[in-house]
Amino acid sequence: EIVLTQSPATLSLSPGERATLSCRTSQSVSSYLAWYQQKPGQAPRLLIYDASNRATGIPARFSGSGSGTDFTLTISSLEPEDFAVYYCQQRDYWPFLTFGGGTKVEIK
Amino acid sequence: EVQLVQSGAEVKKPGESLRISCQGSGYRFTSNLISWVRQMPGKGLEWMGRIDPTDSETNYSPSFQGHVTMSVDKSQNTAYLQWTSLKASDTAIYYCARVGLRNWFDPWGQGTLVTVSS
């Protein structure tokens, strides 16, 4: 099983600041990585797929990068609605999928 | 609008059986796989498995194989997740998700809270 390690576990930032979230995989997943956002009491929402493609309706302040084992989700300027938990997911070993443990972006 | 609507919250006792549902609308139900994801209280997301509504072929995560059963009713555009004997450790929110563009999960159902307590 591929293990996804997200860091940091918690990121404390102020609105307007830049957020940089990391996801490392235990084996190469090529570019088969996605990012999801989950707000309290809500279902997750797809943000980024195939490492760097924004899903439909996702604002341009969200961007993804990386390949192989190291991936980054960047939020260029945090809006109040961006404070949430973010999960990465791999599908390189389809149909066996795994999620990372999540990074909580909280208001400083 | 593509939507997945899940059944309501359940409270069960250990040893009881349960089936929860996930109904798709706004798209051809048999065109996309459905995956199930568990989220235990205050924890992260765990992929449980997936089912192909066309032929009911399933793949389960090793962590869930033998503990749950996934099924579909194509005529009702509905997928199901079933337990025969619940445990307290099954207490969680269960999400269904459509396996969509490039095999990523989009959209997700709103989640079903299952509480197992004596």
Side-chain angles (χ1 to χ4, degrees), chain A residues 3-108:
Chain A
V3 176
L4 279 63
T5 303
Q6 292 189 241
S7 62
T10 304
L11 197 52
S12 299
L13 295 168
S14 301
E17 289 193 295
R18 183 185 189 88
T20 303
L21 289 66
S22 173
C23 177
R24 289 189 171 176
T25 62
S26 60
Q27 302 173 54
S28 174
V29 297
S30 185
S31 294
Y32 297 125
L33 190 111
W35 293 91
Y36 297 86
Q37 176 194 63
Q38 186 178 33
K39 297 179 182 179
Q42 295 186 19
R45 175 176 71 146
L46 178 66
L47 291 178
I48 301 287
Y49 65 93
D50 290 351
S52 61
N53 297 288
R54 276 189 303 277
T56 302
I58 301 304
R61 63 181 181 273
F62 291 92
S63 63
S65 63
S67 66
T69 61
D70 289 315
F71 299 87
T72 301
L73 173 69
T74 301
I75 310 171
S76 59
S77 178
L78 282 163
E79 296 288 339
E81 62 268 28
D82 299 337
F83 292 91
V85 180
Y86 293 85
Y87 294 95
C88 57
Q89 180 203 27
Q90 68 80 23
R91 70 160 186 84
D92 191 39
Y93 291 83
W94 177 262
F96 298 99
L97 314 173
T98 45
F99 289 94
T103 290
K104 181 179 180 180
V105 179
E106 65 176 22
I107 299 176
K108 186 175 181 180

Side-chain angles (χ1 to χ4, degrees), chain A residues 1 31-34 36 38 41-46 49-50 55 87 89-91 94-101, chain B residues 33 35 37 39 43-47 50 59-63 95 99 101-111:
Chain A
E1 177 181 314
S31 294
Y32 297 125
L33 190 111
Y36 297 86
Q38 186 178 33
Q42 295 186 19
R45 175 176 71 146
L46 178 66
Y49 65 93
D50 290 351
Y87 294 95
Q89 180 203 27
Q90 68 80 23
R91 70 160 186 84
W94 177 262
F96 298 99
L97 314 173
T98 45
F99 289 94
Chain B
L33 309 180
S35 268
V37 176
Q39 187 167 40
K43 301 299 183 181
L45 305 173
E46 300 173 88
W47 179 73
R50 62 75 156 169
N59 290 101
Y60 294 95
S61 163
S63 300
Y95 294 101
V99 181
L101 175 65
R102 300 281 293 160
N103 288 333
W104 299 110
F105 294 179
D106 182 43
W108 296 56
Q110 83 276 20

